[in-house]
Amino acid sequence: MSESVVTETCPLCQGFGRLERPDGTTVPCECRAGEIAEARRAAARIPERYRNCRLQNFKDLQNDSLKKAKAVAKRFVDHWPAVDAGLLITGPVGVGKTHLAVAILNELVDTKGATVLFCDFSDLLDRIQASFSKGSDESQDDIVAPYRDAEVLVLDELGARRPSDWVREILYGLLNTRYNRRRITILTTNFGDEPDARGAETLEMRVGAPVRSRLWEMTQLVTVSADDFRRTHRARAFA
Ligand SMILES: [Zn+2]
């Protein structure tokens, strides 16, 4: 007989993976915590490139707004589940908004056992649009249902798609249901409340007034900027 594989049996559960409680019900043994967290991570549908995003590896050195945003994220994780509003993370491309949002999901899965879900706004719309075509076996409702129920949802790149009535309706329906069910939503967007110097559209123009107003009620606004870094350096150069 080969003795090459030596499996250590868990002394707590003798390898059954569950422990019986005094009331006769069972709970997962702590030896399965890693597997359970792994399953939760897989169920979260976080894209591969964001899999390792953590608060710890979020680069906040550039400016104060990033430091502040990271502090808000940390507080959010620390206080979970005693959190009654989500986050609306707004700022220009490339400052790490998605990193920050996904980091919160990863921390919640690892340290709080929360059930979380990641959703790319454009992908969601693509899938819904595909469901309109004849012969599709998925209905719009099948597609949106998991996003209504997730304990914590990250909706990435809100407003990335050109607005249309059906997009606004779906978005409002989803957010409104989550609001009514007291589910927490974290959103990222490149669009702000004020038109920027380049005359870009505002978030309200992209998603519609009802959605923007719902978001005021269900999220805390976190604004990150890329400007402070350049400004500080220029100020120093001229000092
Ligand atoms: Zn065990």
Side-chain angles (χ1 to χ4, degrees), residues 33-45:
E35 271 169 48
I36 293 168
E38 196 46 56
R40 278 208 195 90
R41 270 195 290 273
R45 300 190 206 161

Side-chain angles (χ1 to χ4, degrees), residues 9-19 28-32:
T9 305
C10 170
L12 290 173
C13 67
Q14 273 77 43
F16 286 106
R18 297 189 73 84
L19 298 173
C29 178
E30 60 190 56
C31 69
R32 296 292 160 96

